[in-house]
Structure formats: C-alpha cells, structure tokens
C-alpha cells in the first residue's frame, strides 16, 4: 500500500513539473484563457484597421496619379483658324443643311481631321436641293427667272433655293424695319464674335449644330423640310443678287424680321408684285378661314427695305468700281 502511494506521488510530482498549468492554480488557467480570448477578439479590429490603411493608401496613390497627369499634361495646340467655305473646299470640314421649315434650319459641322478648327463664319450662305439621279426637273412656279442671274435656280425640280445669315454681318441700311416680327429667329449660339469674322470651334469627332434663319428664293417650289437633302453653298451660287445678299445680312444682324425679308426676297428674286404678295394665303381652313402670309405692315416694311438695300447695293457697286479704276490708273504709273 505504501509503495502504491509513493508511486502515485512520484507521478504527480513529475506531471506538476512538466505541466504546471494542468495541476497548478485554477486562477492561472483562467487568466490564460481570458488573455487568449482577448487576443482573439482583437483580431477583427486589427484586420479592419489594416483594410482602412490599405484603402487610404490606394486613395492617396490615385490622387498622386491625377496630380501627376495634370502637371505632365501637354499644352494645348492652338486651333487652326480657317474660313468656312475654304475649309469645306479643302475637305477639312463638312457642313450639312437640315431644313426645319422655310424660315429656319440647322447647320451640322463635322471636323474631318484630327486637330480642332476655329471656323471663321461667313455673314451669308446659300443652300440648294440635291436631286436624286435622273429626277426630271419640275416647273419653277410663279415668277420663274425674274431677277435671277446666271447659275441661279440650282435647285430647280426640287425644293426652293435658300439664302441665310449667320449671327451678324454688318448693317444693310435697313435697321429697324420689321423688328419684333419673328426677328432673329433661330440664331445660333456658341459663336465667338460677329459673323463675317467670328469663329466657331469644331473639335475632331464632335459634330456641332448651329441654328440659322433662312429665306426661300424660288417661289412656287416646295418648302424645305428635314427629309429634303440640301447642299450648303456660297450665297452667290443660290442667287447672285446683291440685294438678296443685303436681305440675308439683315437676317444675320437681326435687323430685319424673317417675314419681312421673305416678302422682299420673293419680290426681288421671283418678280412677285406687292399686290400678289399681300394677297398670298398661308393657311386656308374651313374652321378658321384664310390666314394671309403677310400683313399690310410687313409688306410696307418690305417695300422700304427693298428700296434702301437696292440703293446701298448700287452705292457699293459704284464705290468698288471707283476703287478698281483708281487701282488700275495707279498701276499704269500715272
């Protein structure tokens, strides 16, 4: 019996030396378990802190990259400045005409190159219908050929030829006539300076749209609409009359209303009398009756406008002729 007790004590002694935590104080064991639990509980907090630090580092890196890009961005190359029709002739831009109706249209500018262009806008422009191949020409309607010079009526057989103004193009001696009656209808935005010298930025692969006021130049033909295909041309290709040019400049300058300009244009380009114009119906309805195209005040304004612009056109022609003669005289050494 004594031998068994001695054996058990020996075994207990060895175990206490080898594993004091198993035989030792219960408090010691509890403290160690608590410490391990605390360490385990703190692991998510440490992980979250590490994640936050990683996100902050990523944000700081992105900010540094943006700053680096801004500081290393190459300087902008100045855009080439070129007149609209010269740019079209050289294949640098295309300008599409989308007729909204007889009074206004949209011009769609497309840059065909890889560099931005500052397009110098003309004060006036023309547009002629593009006919389907083999389409037979139709009649020209009332007043065909009156007041129309060589090369005009390019759109015969389709819709009316068009004249228009862009943004501002100098006084035409008609300031104040017809103001407030559709004045400045559809004038374009985003133009730097006045037309006939102002410019319009067109970036590569970024078409730009400009709204413009227009007048029709071939009475009796169909009015423009979005389905009709037109070609933008110099005004002289649609109508060579300097008086018509004066009307279009008045539209560009917003000095003349569209309706007054239209009455004057049909009188000059198509030979319509003032009586015909004042009797021209615009809408005939069994419910609302007849709506006339022009009012009496618009016709009176169109008469005065035509007289003034014709006088100015003659004066400019005389002045240009005089300048030309003086230039030739000096060229001969006199």
């Amino acid at each position: 019996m004594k031998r068994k007790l001695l054996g058990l004590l020996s075994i207990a002694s060895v175990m206490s030396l080898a594993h004091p935590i198993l035989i030792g104080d219960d408090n010691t064991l509890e403290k160690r378990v608590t410490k391990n639990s605390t360490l385990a509980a703190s692991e998510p907090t440490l992980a979250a802190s590490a994640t936050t630090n990683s996100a902050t580092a990523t944000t700081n890196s992105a900010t540094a990259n943006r700053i680096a890009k801004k500081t290393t961005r190459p300087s902008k190359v100045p855009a080439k400045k070129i007149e609209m029709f010269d740019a079209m002739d050289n294949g640098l831009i295309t300008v599409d005409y989308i007729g909204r109706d007889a009074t206004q249209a949209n011009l769609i500018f497309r840059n065909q190159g890889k560099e931005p262009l500052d397009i110098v806008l003309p004060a006036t422009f023309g547009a002629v219908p593009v006919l389907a191949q083999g389409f037979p020409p139709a009649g020209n309607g009332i007043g065909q050929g009156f007041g129309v010079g060589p090369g005009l009526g390019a759109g015969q057989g389709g819709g009316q030829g068009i004249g228009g103004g862009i943004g501002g193009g100098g006084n035409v001696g008609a300031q104040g006539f017809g103001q407030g009656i559709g004045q400045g209808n559809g004038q374009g935005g985003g133009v730097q300076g006045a037309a006939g010298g102002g410019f319009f930025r067109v970036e590569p692969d970024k078409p730009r749209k400009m709204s413009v006021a227009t007048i029709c130049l071939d009475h009796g033909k169909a009015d423009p609409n979005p389905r009709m295909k037109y070609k933008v041309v110099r005004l002289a290709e649609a109508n060579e009359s300097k008086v018509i040019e004066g009307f279009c400049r008045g539209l560009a300058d917003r000095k003349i209303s569209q309706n007054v300009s239209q009455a004057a244009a049909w009188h000059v380009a198509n030979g319509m009398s003032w009586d015909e114009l004042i009797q021209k119906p615009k809408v005939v309805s069994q419910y609302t009756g007849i709506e006339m195209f022009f009012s009496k005040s618009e016709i009176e304004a169109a008469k005065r406008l035509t007289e003034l612009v014709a006088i100015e056109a003659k004066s400019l022609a005389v002045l240009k002729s005089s300048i030309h003669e003086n230039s030739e005289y000096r060229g001969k050494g006199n």
Side-chain angles (χ1 to χ4, degrees):
M1 190 68 181
K2 287 181 180 181
R3 289 181 180 177
K4 289 182 180 180
L5 289 172
L6 289 172
L8 290 172
L9 289 172
S10 298
I11 293 171
S13 298
V14 172
M15 290 181 65
S16 69
L17 291 173
H19 301 284
I21 193 170
L22 296 176
I23 306 299
D25 190 344
D26 288 342
N27 291 334
T28 303
L29 178 60
E30 185 178 351
K31 288 178 182 179
R32 294 195 176 221
V33 171
T34 302
K35 183 177 180 181
N36 290 338
S37 299
T38 302
L39 290 173
S42 66
E43 285 181 0
T45 304
L46 293 173
S49 177
T51 302
T52 302
N53 291 339
S54 176
T56 302
T58 301
T59 302
N60 291 340
S61 177
T63 302
N65 288 337
R66 284 197 299 270
I67 293 173
K69 286 181 180 179
K70 286 182 179 180
T71 55
T72 58
R73 184 179 296 170
S75 59
K76 291 184 178 180
V77 178
K80 179 180 180 180
K81 188 176 288 189
I82 184 170
E83 195 273 338
M84 186 182 85
F85 287 112
D86 288 342
M88 292 171 65
D89 293 342
N90 286 285
L92 299 178
I93 63 169
T94 60
V95 182
D96 295 324
Y97 181 96
I98 310 297
R100 295 163 65 180
D101 53 32
T103 66
Q104 55 189 329
N106 290 327
L107 299 181
I108 312 298
F109 294 75
R110 291 183 173 87
N111 188 332
Q112 301 299 298
K114 297 181 179 180
E115 299 294 336
L117 295 171
D118 282 339
I119 303 302
V120 179
L121 299 169
T124 63
F125 72 96
V128 294
V130 178
L131 302 181
Q133 191 172 7
F135 192 90
N140 197 22
I142 300 175
Q144 180 177 6
F146 286 96
V148 181
L152 307 181
Q156 71 173 8
Q160 298 199 54
I162 297 296
I166 304 177
N171 294 324
V172 295
Q175 184 172 359
F177 288 116
Q179 289 190 7
I181 310 172
Q183 182 178 356
N185 188 14
Q187 297 299 324
V191 180
Q192 303 292 326
F199 61 89
F200 188 70
R201 175 68 59 88
V202 184
E203 301 282 350
D205 302 321
K206 291 182 180 179
R208 291 201 63 184
K209 179 176 73 173
M210 175 186 291
S211 295
V212 292
T214 60
I215 51 176
C216 294
L217 303 176
D218 295 301
H219 183 269
K221 293 185 180 180
D223 287 346
N225 64 65
R227 296 183 301 277
M228 298 174 67
K229 186 173 179 60
Y230 273 80
K231 177 183 177 182
V232 175
V233 297
R234 291 172 173 84
L235 180 59
E237 295 179 49
N239 193 293
E240 289 182 335
S241 169
K242 293 298 181 182
V243 177
I244 294 294
E245 180 182 343
F247 299 157
C248 292
R249 284 181 177 272
L251 278 180
D253 264 341
R254 308 183 188 186
K255 305 293 186 184
I256 313 168
S257 77
Q258 194 281 335
N259 231 33
V260 170
S261 299
Q262 185 60 79
W266 277 334
H267 174 74
V268 172
N270 305 128
M272 294 188 71
S273 70
W274 299 118
D275 286 339
E276 287 176 317
L277 289 167
I278 203 169
Q279 294 173 24
K280 178 178 174 61
K282 185 175 186 178
V283 176
V284 179
S285 170
Q286 60 178 333
Y287 303 107
T288 60
I290 299 175
E291 178 187 347
M292 307 309 292
F293 213 102
F294 306 105
S295 67
K296 290 183 179 179
S297 61
E298 287 174 329
I299 293 298
E300 290 302 316
K303 289 180 181 179
R304 297 195 298 273
L305 170 66
T306 303
E307 292 171 0
L308 286 171
V309 175
I311 291 171
E312 183 174 293
K314 289 178 181 178
S315 298
L316 287 174
V318 170
L319 179 60
K320 287 181 179 179
S321 177
S322 176
I323 292 172
H324 179 69
E325 289 176 0
N326 289 336
S327 178
E328 287 187 339
Y329 182 78
R330 291 175 182 176
K332 292 178 181 179
N334 296 322

